[in-house]
Amino acid sequence: ALCVMRPPPRGRWPAGQPAARGGDLHPEALAVAAADRARAGRGLVEHRPARHREAQLAGQRAAGRGGARQRERGQQRLAELKARLDDETVSWDARVVEALYADAPHTVAREAFDADVCLVAGSGGDASNASALHAWFTALLLESGRPVLVVPPNSGPTLPLRRAMIAWHPTRQTTRAVHDALPLLADAGLVELVLIGQGDDDPAQESARRMVAHLVRHSIPTDLVSLRAGDRGVAEVLLDYAERSGVQLL
């Protein structure tokens, strides 16, 4: 199962807005989820978490007219989503989840326990929404125990991947991410394992070469790419290389 998340605009619901509004239905994330599940012959799960502005007032609103209106609008959004998913060839489930007594990111993390991977909508460079998206991403990554994949708006991803990239660093977190991504990497045309370091004498070179060999044993075509950051930040170097090489997954 894949758990597809769409955080609310600016991380909270303005007064009078539906509890499960969530903006658009994020077609890129849904497309990736549906395509992956169709190829794997498995189900698609989409959670539409709700958020109330303050936990201590949740019970009052739920009992009042405002809570009823929010639930009604949330159900309308849910009906729109279900109509959209009806055309998919994979099994799916969609539901509204109310964050009555905890922040939405923590509520969503608990909802993801039974998912294979979580897909999260990216901000697409929208700075006003970046902090909220970071909170959702962090909660899912640290509290759900599940791998998280961010799908930027207008990214137009397709499966199987033509080209994928691994930003390698010899740590527990990196190797966990690589192995969580194996189902996506298995059908890729080429995987580039990118190491940013000091050259051939970098201690990380040996672990990078071993990881390349490990992926090749999984029948995944993989090349080792060594880069130097110089005066630039590591993230900047990675994103610049990803754009120049045309990778679809980082």
Side-chain angles (χ1 to χ4, degrees):
L2 289 120
C3 186
V4 183
M5 309 295 182
R6 180 66 166 114
R10 291 180 172 81
R12 60 175 61 246
W13 305 112
Q17 292 299 312
R21 183 169 177 268
D24 59 63
L25 298 181
H26 202 287
E28 290 82 9
L30 280 176
V32 170
D36 179 77
R37 296 299 84 181
R39 291 171 58 248
R42 297 179 181 176
L44 161 67
V45 176
E46 218 237 24
H47 297 290
R48 303 287 293 177
R51 173 162 186 168
H52 292 279
R53 288 175 295 159
E54 299 292 340
Q56 63 267 30
L57 299 179
Q60 299 174 20
R61 272 198 306 276
R65 184 180 303 172
R69 285 198 301 267
Q70 287 183 329
R71 284 194 172 89
E72 181 180 357
R73 291 172 185 170
Q75 291 302 320
Q76 289 174 351
R77 290 280 179 169
L78 184 63
E80 294 172 7
L81 175 60
K82 288 183 175 181
R84 180 174 185 164
L85 291 172
D86 273 338
D87 294 331
E88 299 293 344
T89 59
V90 297
S91 61
W92 54 267
D93 177 43
R95 61 184 180 269
V96 173
V97 180
E98 294 190 5
L100 294 176
Y101 303 107
D103 284 346
H106 303 293
T107 301
V108 166
R110 291 193 292 271
E111 287 292 317
F113 287 161
D114 57 343
D116 296 313
V117 63
C118 300
L119 274 67
V120 183
S123 65
D126 182 3
S128 65
N129 208 24
S131 60
L133 287 166
H134 184 268
W136 285 60
F137 175 83
T138 302
L140 284 167
L141 192 65
L142 300 182
E143 299 176 27
S144 72
R146 312 309 309 135
V148 182
L149 179 63
V150 178
V151 183
N154 305 315
S155 57
T158 57
L159 294 175
L161 300 166
R162 297 186 306 275
R163 201 179 190 97
M165 172 179 158
I166 296 170
W168 178 251
H169 191 61
T171 63
R172 173 183 62 85
Q173 295 89 339
T174 307
T175 190
R176 169 71 184 271
V178 171
H179 287 86
D180 283 340
L182 283 180
L184 289 173
L185 300 177
D187 296 329
L190 176 66
V191 175
E192 292 181 297
L193 190 139
V194 178
L195 174 66
I196 298 180
Q198 287 76 46
D200 292 338
D201 58 345
D202 191 317
Q205 279 282 344
E206 176 59 26
S207 68
R209 286 191 287 266
R210 287 167 49 197
M211 180 54 69
V212 168
H214 174 66
L215 293 173
V216 170
R217 285 196 296 270
H218 279 270
S219 301
I220 300 173
T222 308
D223 289 341
L224 174 59
V225 178
S226 296
L227 301 175
R228 296 197 183 201
D231 295 332
R232 298 194 296 168
V234 171
E236 181 185 355
V237 174
L238 289 172
L239 292 175
D240 179 65
Y241 183 81
E243 183 175 4
R244 288 189 288 108
S245 60
V247 301
Q248 298 167 289
L249 174 70
L250 171 58

